[in-house]
Amino acid sequence: MNAPLPSPLFIGHEIYRASTYGRWHPLRVPRVSTVMDLSRALGWLPRSVYLTSPRAKPAALTGWHTPDYVAALVQAEAEQAVTDAVRARHHLGTPSNPVFPEMYRRPATAAGGSLLAGELLAGGGVVFHPAGGTHHGMPDRASGFCFLNDPVLAIRSLRANGAARIAYIDIDAHHGDGVERAFADDPDTLVLSVHESGLWPRTGALEDEGAGNVFNLPVPRLLNDDEMALIRDGLILPAVAAFQPDALVLQCGADAVADDPQSHLSLSNNAHWQIVAGLMGMAPRLLVLGGGGYNPWSAGRLWTGVWATLNRHAIPPVLPEAAQQVLRGLVFQGNARGRNPDPAWFTTLRDAPRGGPVRDSVRADVARLAARF
């Protein structure tokens, strides 16, 4: 039976309120600030559980990232420009990983939150860090909107603070390639990723096993809630139970829901919340990170519901006026969903369930992976 966990802590920062990757970049939308504002409007984020994320110093990042890359990132922010050589070597100043005013400070703040989480969880507990989850960052280069890899840093911090066996679960629409690269050869780190087949970065094949600790489930387009329930009960929860971790890290990317413009899945936010609920208590330390999520309404609502789930708060069928005003104040420029938002996005947190048939291919792939533990 799952053991009770202490009251969760929330790591946030005001830097995310105004910082943007650029006018037309997918990360132009407010996400973490929306979760903070919604949670406060609902009375779910008292000062006693809110921690302001520190900004990681460059030296703290070099456990995974190379000193040359960290120095290049700091210099790029200071100069607001990169040379052709830096762009080629470190992938800074590209359309995906653009130069913008906080291009070091913002990811370093997310990384600082993940490093702090490992320290906070030394004695057990629950931490929610929605600004985390940048799972594509590589040692010497930015990748996929991720300048730093805070999940890798979180796992390293957990280990430095006493966690011997760590399970990393990734339900973002995109494969967590950077995290797999870091821990594929580490039998004491379970790396399990559920991601859309064929979606960038086009890694994470079903056949990949690492040192026997890597489990990748590429899923077909239009994956529905019933299929994700099978994945939860047939793969995710049994894999964690078999691994017996003393720390769990869940990357809870909000881009896997039907309303996100960067993927082609058909999940409701209920699917994510049910995975969070299922994992609670399966290890004495639980860290939940954000990740992808490019529709401000669906990401903000999903992650606020994650915080509610971690606290066992009942989600109201209709939001109070203060929370509705937070959602009505969001904008989504340059996207049809911003011009025609679903009215339910203003008044509710919970999506209507998106069930459907469970395809034979999903059953077969879950069974194939489950046979390994």
Side-chain angles (χ1 to χ4, degrees):
M1 188 171 179
N2 290 356
L5 292 170
S7 297
L9 299 173
F10 186 115
I11 296 178
H13 199 285
E14 287 297 316
I15 194 171
Y16 308 110
R17 188 173 300 280
S19 173
T20 171
Y21 278 41
R23 186 175 179 185
W24 300 112
H25 194 282
L27 276 176
R28 66 190 178 277
V29 299
R31 309 181 317 155
V32 177
S33 58
T34 300
V35 180
M36 291 161 50
D37 293 346
L38 271 177
S39 297
R40 288 180 175 134
L42 287 157
W44 295 345
L45 193 59
R47 291 183 181 179
S48 59
V49 301
Y50 178 84
L51 295 168
T52 298
S53 176
R55 184 190 309 164
K57 294 187 166 85
L61 303 171
T62 55
W64 164 245
H65 296 285
T66 65
D68 284 351
Y69 172 61
V70 175
L73 183 58
V74 171
Q75 185 174 359
E77 179 179 287
E79 297 180 358
Q80 286 296 287
V82 296
T83 64
D84 290 342
V86 165
R87 184 179 297 107
R89 177 179 174 185
H90 299 301
H91 294 192
L92 299 174
T94 67
S96 290
N97 315 305
V99 173
F100 68 99
E102 305 85 14
M103 63 183 295
Y104 170 73
R105 283 172 290 161
R106 174 172 167 159
T109 300
S114 285
L115 290 165
L116 174 63
E119 299 171 12
L120 293 170
L121 291 169
V126 182
V127 172
F128 183 39
H129 177 31
T134 54
H135 57 176
H136 298 305
M138 293 295 175
D140 200 40
R141 59 180 171 85
S143 180
F145 316 161
C146 302
F147 291 88
L148 299 170
N149 196 311
D150 74 276
V152 170
L153 296 169
I155 292 168
R156 292 174 60 90
S157 179
L158 284 163
R159 185 149 286 140
N161 286 280
R165 290 176 66 79
I166 301 169
Y168 173 77
I169 309 298
D170 192 317
I171 57 173
D172 193 287
H174 303 80
H175 175 237
D177 55 340
V179 183
E180 181 175 316
R181 174 170 171 176
F183 298 108
D185 297 325
D186 177 6
D188 290 322
T189 304
L190 172 69
V191 183
L192 190 158
S193 177
V194 180
H195 46 272
E196 182 181 328
S197 179
L199 197 65
W200 188 95
R202 299 179 184 86
T203 54
L206 186 73
E207 297 76 18
D208 296 344
E209 297 187 11
N213 59 317
V214 172
F215 293 78
N216 282 314
L217 181 64
V219 297
R221 290 188 176 201
L222 303 180
L223 187 82
N224 62 57
D225 287 358
D226 292 324
E227 290 174 317
M228 186 58 107
L230 172 75
I231 294 165
R232 179 193 70 222
D233 296 339
L235 176 62
I236 295 174
L237 301 185
V240 172
F243 190 73
Q244 296 184 314
D246 48 19
L248 252 171
V249 179
L250 172 64
Q251 200 271 19
C252 200
D255 53 2
V257 298
D259 296 316
D260 195 274
Q262 297 293 317
S263 68
H264 312 91
L265 304 179
S266 191
L267 299 174
S268 75
N269 54 25
N270 297 280
H272 283 57
W273 300 345
Q274 289 161 5
I275 290 171
V276 173
L279 291 170
M280 289 168 60
M282 293 193 75
R285 304 167 178 87
L286 174 60
L287 170 59
V288 181
L289 305 173
Y294 308 99
N295 174 329
W297 290 285
S298 60
R301 291 164 63 247
L302 188 153
W303 289 338
T304 303
V306 167
W307 180 238
T309 302
L310 292 172
N311 286 278
R312 296 183 170 84
H313 293 319
I315 293 174
V318 178
L319 293 172
E321 183 60 29
Q324 290 193 33
Q325 288 306 312
V326 172
L327 293 167
R328 293 182 191 280
L330 299 176
V331 295
F332 192 13
Q333 295 177 336
N335 190 282
R337 293 172 178 85
R339 295 189 296 273
N340 301 287
D342 185 334
W345 295 349
F346 302 146
T347 59
T348 66
L349 286 187
R350 187 184 299 278
D351 293 336
R354 296 189 174 104
V358 178
R359 284 165 280 188
D360 290 343
S361 62
V362 175
R363 290 188 190 277
D365 288 349
V366 168
R368 176 173 172 175
L369 292 176
R372 291 178 41 205
F373 50 78

